Amino acid sequence: IDKTFVCQNHNCIPYHKVCDLVDDCGDGSDEESCTNHFGCSPNYNNSQQYIPHSSVGDGTYDCVNLEDELISCNTRVIRGILLKSFAWLIGILSVTFNIVVTGKGVSILSSITSSDRLFDQVLIMVISFGDFLVGGYLATIAAVDTFFSKNFCRKQFEWLVSSECSTLGVISTAGSQVSLFSMTLLSVSRLWKLTKGLCPSKPVDKKEIMKVVSAALIVFSFSFSIAIIPLLPRFEDDFVNAIYYPDVKFLKGFYHKSDFKHPITEYYGKPRYEVTDLSWMSIRKLTQNMFTNRNGELEHHLLHFYGNDPVCLFKYFVSPDDPQRWYSLGILGLNFICFTIITLSYVLVNIISLQSSSQVGEGAAAIIIRKRNQKLQRKVHSG
């Protein structure tokens, strides 16, 4: 019995090497008619790769070009037509409405003579600017979803590590924080003015203008700082979640710190420290040293704070092992305090307003009764 398989390129191999998921012929002819595997597309050196059918769609990237997981992927930037329509509608309406509000606010600033009213008007304009940023973010992320369409699966790695995704994350975070901090100041300001009673407001002068401008600048500075801090290189060990090497074929997809343990241990031996305790810079250097210098520095991209989701939002919900959990929980706690202050302020404003209205009503009733009694007394005396 002939136990030799003749390849299309006229090479000969033993029959037991046919359909063994390895291109033994060199032209793939020993695997091309097999039904026990999935054939990955030829990789960068035009070699063929085969994997078992059970490895397709199992959550692990086996093909060099990642297609074993992307072939059944239906991920979109925005999941669902309803959410996409909502993003378009709210985004466009928010941008348009807040441009109008800000324009009207600017037009009446010069006519304001009360410092209290000036403070409120500027805060209202700052809130509108924050809402404008959030609206712009919603419209842009909807446009990104339309641009990628069904091709997002193959582009998701490039998108999540891109500067565009990080920029959208900064815009959405800064916009929401600007609106929240401004609303907090506005609610406290209204409560303070109500407790002052009938005390006259100071006229608008340079000193009052500087106070208003300083308050607005503090809101902007604090909000944008919260949004930008996660992207600063100094804090990458606290906010970077993974690294993406597009040209390193055995480092497929996103590599977290724990994923580097195997290749680093295989190349260097057991390290003195746990790989998860190393800085990202140290991991990059160790990975770079695995390759010859003739190819230059390996291209790599950091999976930043905002790349945790295709819509590039602030990562409020974290797991216990997330390096940025304390920052996220801290900002979440700060926002909760702001919402509490806003709620309490408006509750107190309503209570004080109701009490004032009741007192005014009682005063008016007393005046009516007193006038009626005086009228009756006059009738008695005249009688």
Side-chain angles (χ1 to χ4, degrees):
I1 299 175
D2 188 3
K3 296 183 179 180
T4 302
F5 176 82
V6 180
C7 309
Q8 291 181 4
N9 59 8
H10 304 297
N11 290 333
C12 295
I13 62 171
Y15 254 113
H16 71 267
K17 289 190 176 183
V18 178
C19 297
D20 64 349
L21 307 184
V22 178
D23 180 10
D24 299 291
C25 286
D27 61 0
S29 56
D30 58 316
E31 303 294 326
E32 65 180 9
S33 299
C34 303
T35 59
N36 66 331
H37 64 243
F38 173 81
C40 306
S41 299
N43 56 30
Y44 62 100
N45 61 2
N46 206 34
S47 61
Q48 189 70 46
Q49 181 186 7
Y50 302 93
I51 62 173
H53 281 298
S54 59
S55 296
V56 178
D58 65 348
T60 301
Y61 295 104
D62 298 289
C63 291
V64 169
N65 61 5
L66 316 180
E67 65 180 317
D68 57 309
E69 299 304 312
L70 303 181
I71 193 171
S72 59
C73 171
N74 59 0
T75 302
R76 299 285 296 264
V77 176
I78 301 177
R79 298 176 179 87
I81 188 65
L82 184 62
L83 286 177
K84 182 179 178 179
S85 302
F86 177 82
W88 272 120
L89 178 63
I90 299 301
I92 294 174
L93 289 178
S94 179
V95 168
T96 305
F97 175 77
N98 286 291
I99 288 176
V100 173
V101 171
T102 303
K104 288 184 177 180
V106 171
S107 66
I108 65 173
L109 282 179
S110 58
S111 62
I112 296 177
T113 57
S114 167
S115 61
D116 287 343
R117 188 184 174 197
L118 177 66
F119 186 80
D120 288 355
Q121 183 59 44
V122 170
L123 285 181
I124 291 173
M125 292 170 59
V126 173
I127 292 172
S128 296
F129 179 75
D131 292 345
F132 168 82
L133 291 180
V134 174
Y137 157 79
L138 289 173
T140 304
I141 204 68
V144 169
D145 179 77
T146 302
F147 174 77
F148 282 119
S149 187
K150 296 181 180 179
N151 295 321
F152 178 69
C153 282
R154 296 188 177 275
K155 299 293 184 180
Q156 60 180 315
F157 297 104
E158 288 80 1
W159 168 247
L160 294 175
V161 299
S162 67
S163 58
E164 290 82 3
C165 180
S166 295
T167 300
L168 283 177
V170 170
I171 290 173
S172 64
T173 301
S176 59
Q177 295 299 143
V178 164
S179 297
L180 180 60
F181 292 149
S182 300
M183 289 176 63
T184 304
L185 286 178
L186 185 62
S187 61
V188 172
S189 171
R190 289 177 172 174
L191 177 62
W192 170 253
K193 284 184 293 186
L194 200 59
T195 57
K196 288 196 306 181
L198 299 176
C199 294
S201 175
K202 295 180 180 179
V204 176
D205 54 23
K206 290 184 178 180
K207 183 178 179 180
E208 296 301 318
I209 292 175
M210 287 302 300
K211 288 182 180 179
V212 174
V213 172
S214 298
L217 289 177
I218 289 173
V219 168
F220 283 125
S221 300
F222 199 33
S223 300
F224 277 91
S225 295
I226 289 174
I228 293 174
I229 282 176
L231 300 179
L232 297 179
R234 180 177 180 180
F235 304 113
E236 71 174 20
D237 287 320
D238 299 312
F239 294 103
V240 171
N241 294 296
I243 298 182
Y244 173 54
Y245 287 96
D247 297 326
V248 181
K249 302 309 176 181
F250 71 88
L251 299 178
K252 306 180 185 75
F254 290 129
Y255 250 60
H256 301 79
K257 281 189 176 182
S258 58
D259 298 324
F260 283 94
K261 183 175 181 178
H262 177 71
I264 289 178
T265 302
E266 287 292 315
Y267 188 85
Y268 294 99
K270 188 175 181 179
R272 189 186 312 175
Y273 306 101
E274 286 292 331
V275 174
T276 53
D277 295 331
L278 296 175
S279 66
W280 279 116
M281 181 175 291
S282 298
I283 290 176
R284 291 198 297 272
K285 288 181 178 179
L286 291 172
T287 306
Q288 176 67 41
N289 291 336
M290 295 180 189
F291 299 85
T292 58
N293 293 326
R294 65 182 180 182
N295 294 324
E297 185 176 356
L298 293 175
E299 181 184 355
H300 67 273
H301 304 280
L302 302 178
L303 181 63
H304 280 291
F305 183 69
Y306 296 107
N308 66 91
D309 190 270
V311 292
C312 310
L313 285 174
F314 189 97
K315 194 175 182 179
Y316 285 112
F317 302 103
V318 293
S319 60
D321 58 342
D322 278 327
Q324 60 272 5
R325 63 187 179 280
W326 295 116
Y327 186 80
S328 297
L329 293 175
I331 300 303
L332 197 61
L334 177 62
N335 291 349
F336 176 77
I337 292 173
C338 289
F339 281 118
T340 302
I341 291 174
I342 293 171
T343 303
L344 291 177
S345 296
Y346 280 104
V347 168
L348 291 174
V349 165
N350 287 329
I351 291 174
I352 294 173
S353 298
L354 289 174
Q355 289 178 345
S356 299
S357 299
S358 178
Q359 291 173 359
V360 171
E362 291 175 358
I367 293 173
I368 293 173
I369 293 173
R370 185 168 61 252
K371 286 183 177 180
R372 185 177 61 186
N373 290 338
Q374 289 174 352
K375 186 176 181 180
L376 287 174
Q377 288 176 359
R378 286 196 297 270
K379 287 183 177 181
V380 170
H381 290 307
S382 62

